[in-house]
Amino acid sequence: MDRRIKYTKKVIKDTLLSLLEKKDISNITVTEICEISDINRGTFYRYYMDVYDLLKNIEQEFINEIKSSPSIENIEDHSIYSFTKGILSIFEHNKKLVRILFSTDNNVYFLNEVLDVAYDKCMSRWEELQPDINQDELENAVVFIFNGALGVINYWIKNDFKVPSDDVAKYIEKYCQHGARMYLPVEKRV
């Protein structure tokens, strides 16, 4: 790709991200992006259909970065901790982008893509480790684990990455292995 095209796309994307720090995407216009980026509307529309298409493009680039990251691709032990730590390290290196993508009202696409990456990486390994496992049970466990993990990660991001990522990865692994039982009051069964 031509350097000028790369530069123009980068300026457009950076402008959208800076605007998303201040306001909701529904209040951002192509005209506003063009004025701040110092480009004409035709240039914008050469690459993107609208503001939402631009955001989706940014999200997809980040998802592709996660998928191809050595910290995800080269996990040897396939543990929940290692996988989570890999994703969290990518998130830490892209704090501003992650904050924005997790906070936008239309972040369902992005969150589902993050879950799909985790699902694809883990399902085949878990099936390999336990070939006789009931497929429906495994699917339900995966949905439960990944949505819980995503909630913890979202909480970590909303609290400005204050807890070290290594600790967050350990929490997620512990919750996945032991559930919430250790935090719930023990009830006597009749």
Side-chain angles (χ1 to χ4, degrees):
M1 183 184 310
D2 184 303
R3 270 194 346 227
R4 288 173 295 165
I5 294 171
K6 281 184 183 179
Y7 175 77
T8 301
K9 285 184 168 186
K10 182 180 178 347
V11 169
I12 292 169
K13 290 173 185 176
D14 289 347
T15 300
L16 176 63
L17 292 174
S18 68
L19 288 168
L20 283 169
E21 288 182 297
K22 301 172 201 149
K23 56 185 173 177
D24 185 71
I25 192 165
S26 62
N27 296 320
I28 298 172
T29 65
V30 171
T31 301
E32 183 177 24
I33 292 171
C34 291
E35 286 174 2
I36 294 169
S37 300
D38 197 25
I39 60 165
N40 63 49
R41 292 172 60 87
T43 301
F44 179 93
Y45 287 118
R46 182 178 305 137
Y47 306 115
Y48 311 104
M49 292 185 307
D50 56 25
V51 176
Y52 294 95
D53 182 50
L54 170 57
L55 179 60
K56 188 173 180 180
N57 185 278
I58 293 168
E59 291 170 340
Q60 190 58 56
E61 283 182 3
F62 188 56
I63 291 298
N64 291 340
E65 179 183 335
I66 292 170
K67 286 180 181 177
S68 64
S69 170
S71 63
I72 301 297
E73 284 294 319
N74 302 326
I75 294 174
E76 295 296 323
D77 66 1
H78 298 281
S79 69
I80 291 169
Y81 168 81
S82 296
F83 182 77
T84 304
K85 180 68 175 146
I87 286 183
L88 296 180
S89 68
I90 295 167
F91 283 9
E92 276 187 312
H93 292 302
N94 296 279
K95 285 181 179 181
K96 177 182 174 185
L97 176 61
V98 168
R99 263 190 220 105
I100 291 166
L101 293 180
F102 268 76
S103 68
T104 58
D105 288 338
N106 300 317
N107 68 357
V108 173
Y109 168 80
F110 175 70
L111 297 179
N112 283 334
E113 287 291 316
V114 170
L115 286 175
D116 285 348
V117 170
Y119 181 89
D120 292 343
K121 297 289 182 193
C122 295
M123 274 300 278
S124 60
R125 179 65 178 152
W126 291 343
E127 287 170 337
E128 180 184 309
L129 292 172
Q130 296 189 39
D132 298 332
I133 195 163
N134 176 295
Q135 198 64 28
D136 287 336
E137 194 173 331
L138 180 59
E139 293 277 342
N140 283 316
V142 167
V143 168
F144 182 81
I145 289 167
F146 289 160
N147 280 292
L150 194 58
V152 171
I153 292 168
N154 196 24
Y155 181 76
W156 176 63
I157 292 164
K158 288 190 185 307
N159 284 293
D160 203 31
F161 305 85
K162 287 182 182 166
V163 175
S165 62
D166 191 59
D167 290 350
V168 175
K170 287 175 185 173
Y171 298 154
I172 289 172
E173 183 175 54
K174 182 168 65 172
Y175 303 151
C176 290
Q177 291 177 344
H178 304 288
R181 173 171 264 162
M182 61 196 296
Y183 302 101
L184 300 175
V186 177
E187 294 180 26
K188 293 184 180 183
R189 296 183 190 244
V190 181

